[in-house]
Amino acid sequence: EVQLVESGGGLVQAGGSLRLSCAASGFTFDEYAIGWFRQAPGKEREGVSCFSRSHGSTYYADSVKGRFIISIDNAKNTVYLQMTSLKPEDTAVYYCAATKMFIGWPGCPTESATYDYWGQGTQVTVSS
């Protein structure tokens, strides 16, 4: 059974940093892509970053490029999203998601509808 559990959210001042964790089980990173998404109140869910080891693919949304880094600790089966230089507009519930990759895909999927498995979300609030 695939399970994803996020942690690490909280309240931080603008310019600060947070590291989100997503503990994964029931699949391997060799076969599945991992995505980070966020949803602010009244807005649609937005793709923030994704990674696929099988396709050698990493993606960052323009709004977070240069500030966020996605990484994987294989020993802990955990995916991280290191967030720096946080802005009030980064405030949202952050979700990690997983989907099995297929050979014909060009890279990790950036659309939320492609992902089959989701964590419960963790709140990130950035104060100005």
Side-chain angles (χ1 to χ4, degrees), residues 55-76:
H55 288 55
S57 169
T58 305
Y59 162 84
Y60 296 100
D62 288 343
S63 57
V64 307
K65 203 171 292 183
R67 300 188 298 121
F68 290 12
I69 297 175
I70 189 171
S71 63
I72 291 179
D73 185 329
N74 289 308
K76 296 181 178 180

Side-chain angles (χ1 to χ4, degrees), residues 39-54:
Q39 188 164 20
K43 295 189 177 181
E44 292 188 355
R45 192 166 294 188
E46 171 192 18
V48 174
S49 179
C50 68
F51 172 79
S52 167
R53 176 173 293 152
S54 63

Side-chain angles (χ1 to χ4, degrees), residues 61-97:
D62 288 343
S63 57
V64 307
K65 203 171 292 183
R67 300 188 298 121
F68 290 12
I69 297 175
I70 189 171
S71 63
I72 291 179
D73 185 329
N74 289 308
K76 296 181 178 180
N77 280 345
T78 299
V79 182
Y80 300 101
L81 186 68
Q82 179 68 51
M83 307 185 295
T84 60
S85 301
L86 283 162
K87 305 175 182 180
E89 50 264 43
D90 294 318
T91 295
V93 177
Y94 283 71
Y95 301 88
C96 65

